[in-house]
Amino acid sequence: MTASNPPRDESTQPSGSSLSPGTAPTDGHLDSTAQLMNRITSQLGSQLSLVALDGRRRHPESPALVLVAHGSRDPRALSTVETLAERVRELRPGLSVRLGHIELNEPLLPDTLAALRPGRAVLVPLLLSRGYHIKQDIPEAAAEASHLNIRIAAPLGPHPLLVEALYARLVEAGWSTRLSAADRRSHAVVLAAAGSRDPDAATDTQRTAELLAERLGVPVVPAYASAAAPTVPDAVRALTARGRHRVAVASYFTAPGRFASECAEAAPWIAAAPMGAHAAMARLVLHRYDEALVSSAAAASLHLATA
Ligand SMILES: C[C@@]1(CC(=O)O)c2cc3[nH]c(cc4nc(cc5[nH]c(cc(n2)[C@H]1CCC(=O)O)[C@@](C)(CC(=O)O)[C@@H]5CCC(=O)O)C(CC(=O)O)=C4CCC(=O)O)c(CCC(=O)O)c3CC(=O)O
Ligand SMILES: [Co+2]
């Protein structure tokens, strides 16, 4: 059973350090390192071809994709993640896509995993940042499912596809796609997120805020529904004090829920809907799934090549 997070987009492949001279084959010559690289490249290539980019072929050998949603008492959350799962299936027909929840909705993740036949599965968190749920809950559930060979994909955020979804939801709520120079001086956005005690979560949310600010051309300030500061009202006040009188609230949530609703209620102007089942979310789920498989293919190749 393996359960580990693959490298994120921004980081380098972990195989790099293992190819240093210290771990090269005993003869240690440059050409043997080149042969090793070739072997890894060709084995990685054959693994990658299993993950067709056209998304149209059937993939009977592909590991199941388990979409790990948070869960909410708000019934719209369940219907939203079910719609998202359906969109993922439409993008890759033949891939087995299951849904499991961390809390508050059924099926719960441990039950989803228990129902899978022995084999490989990739858990794709429908979570945005490295917090408690990513670091504790999902690895714990994966460790319990000893009949499965599990890879855990990286959290969805940060990623440009999330910025695409956030932007689309803002425009739906009334954000202008053509801001004047005066608008760019008076407008701003609060990026409302769940919040975590884990500082890595705020680092991830801050990165998304920066990407959204580049996209919009106005300041974007993260704010949190729980466990972290500032709150949405505090962030709105701070922006207003800086002369920003048109402050929109972007909803950095995967689905409608208590947190998303509370943040939207604090909006002084327009409030966007959560990212939900936007097409960019379905594409990002498959991207994280593919990334998790590529990193396991790279690790397997390296293992074979150095065995
Ligand atoms: C650890 C904790 C914070 C702490 O204390 O550190 C924390 C953390 C996180 N929650 C996240 C997401 C969501 N949380 C909810 C809902 C609730 N979350 C609550 C508690 C806690 N959540 C603390 C544990 C305290 C304990 O031990 O119980 C509830 C039970 C109680 C309450 O807050 O009152 C409340 C029930 C609502 C109700 O009463 O109905 C929803 C659904 C919804 O909003 O309806 C979403 C999905 C939002 C979406 O759709 O995106 C993320 C973002 C993960 C990511 O995306 O990255 C993190 C961050 C992380 O993982 O660390
Ligand atoms: Co929570």
Side-chain angles (χ1 to χ4, degrees):
M1 224 288 317
T2 50
S4 60
N5 289 320
R8 332 188 94 226
D9 284 347
E10 299 76 11
S11 63
T12 53
Q13 292 291 325
S15 50
S17 58
S18 303
L19 291 171
S20 63
T23 53
T26 43
D27 58 16
H29 292 305
L30 271 180
D31 59 335
S32 69
T33 304
Q35 283 162 6
L36 180 61
M37 291 297 285
N38 282 341
R39 244 167 113 186
I40 291 171
T41 306
S42 71
Q43 285 171 8
L44 183 58
S46 64
Q47 293 281 334
L48 279 171
S49 66
L50 296 173
V51 187
L53 294 174
D54 65 43
R56 290 286 154 206
R57 278 192 267 149
R58 270 190 67 87
H59 306 281
E61 304 301 326
S62 297
L65 187 165
V66 179
L67 195 54
V68 184
H70 184 282
S72 173
R73 290 192 175 84
D74 187 327
R76 295 172 298 171
L78 182 57
S79 57
T80 299
V81 296
E82 282 172 342
T83 302
L84 178 62
E86 200 46 48
R87 290 206 157 170
V88 173
R89 290 183 190 106
E90 283 164 11
L91 285 178
R92 197 163 295 176
L95 178 66
S96 167
V97 180
R98 311 292 175 94
L99 187 59
H101 292 90
I102 289 170
E103 58 190 0
L104 299 171
N105 283 120
E106 288 181 347
L108 289 168
L109 178 59
D111 296 330
T112 300
L113 296 181
L116 285 175
R117 282 199 310 269
R120 297 194 296 160
V122 178
L123 310 192
V124 180
L126 193 50
L127 300 167
L128 300 167
S129 303
R130 291 167 297 163
Y132 183 83
H133 299 308
I134 289 286
K135 293 185 185 180
Q136 304 291 325
D137 293 340
I138 297 180
E140 271 171 30
E144 292 292 311
S146 53
H147 66 301
L148 296 174
N149 181 345
I150 293 181
R151 301 288 306 177
I152 303 177
L156 295 184
H159 194 277
L161 283 167
L162 294 174
V163 175
E164 206 177 292
L166 289 165
Y167 181 78
R169 295 300 185 220
L170 278 167
V171 170
E172 285 166 14
W175 183 270
S176 169
T177 54
R178 293 158 166 261
L179 293 186
S180 67
D183 288 341
R184 273 195 292 277
R185 286 191 295 273
S186 63
H187 287 44
V189 167
V190 169
L191 183 67
S196 172
R197 284 183 226 282
D198 189 326
D200 284 341
T203 302
D204 292 348
T205 307
Q206 177 62 40
R207 180 68 193 134
T208 300
E210 288 162 11
L211 293 171
L212 185 59
E214 281 170 26
R215 180 78 166 85
L216 296 172
V218 305
V220 177
V221 175
Y224 303 100
S226 84
T231 64
V232 173
D234 286 345
V236 170
R237 267 191 291 276
L239 283 164
T240 307
R242 284 162 53 191
R244 302 278 164 174
H245 298 293
R246 279 273 178 258
V247 180
V249 173
S251 191
Y252 198 44
F253 295 98
T254 60
R258 179 179 134 187
F259 287 164
S261 298
E262 283 173 4
C263 291
E265 278 160 26
W269 181 46
I270 58 176
M275 297 178 290
H278 191 275
M281 296 290 280
R283 285 168 56 206
L284 182 52
V285 165
L286 283 172
H287 175 68
R288 291 299 187 215
Y289 171 86
D290 290 342
E291 214 176 43
L293 286 181
V294 168
S295 79
S296 63
S301 296
L302 188 71
H303 180 74
L304 284 171
T306 57

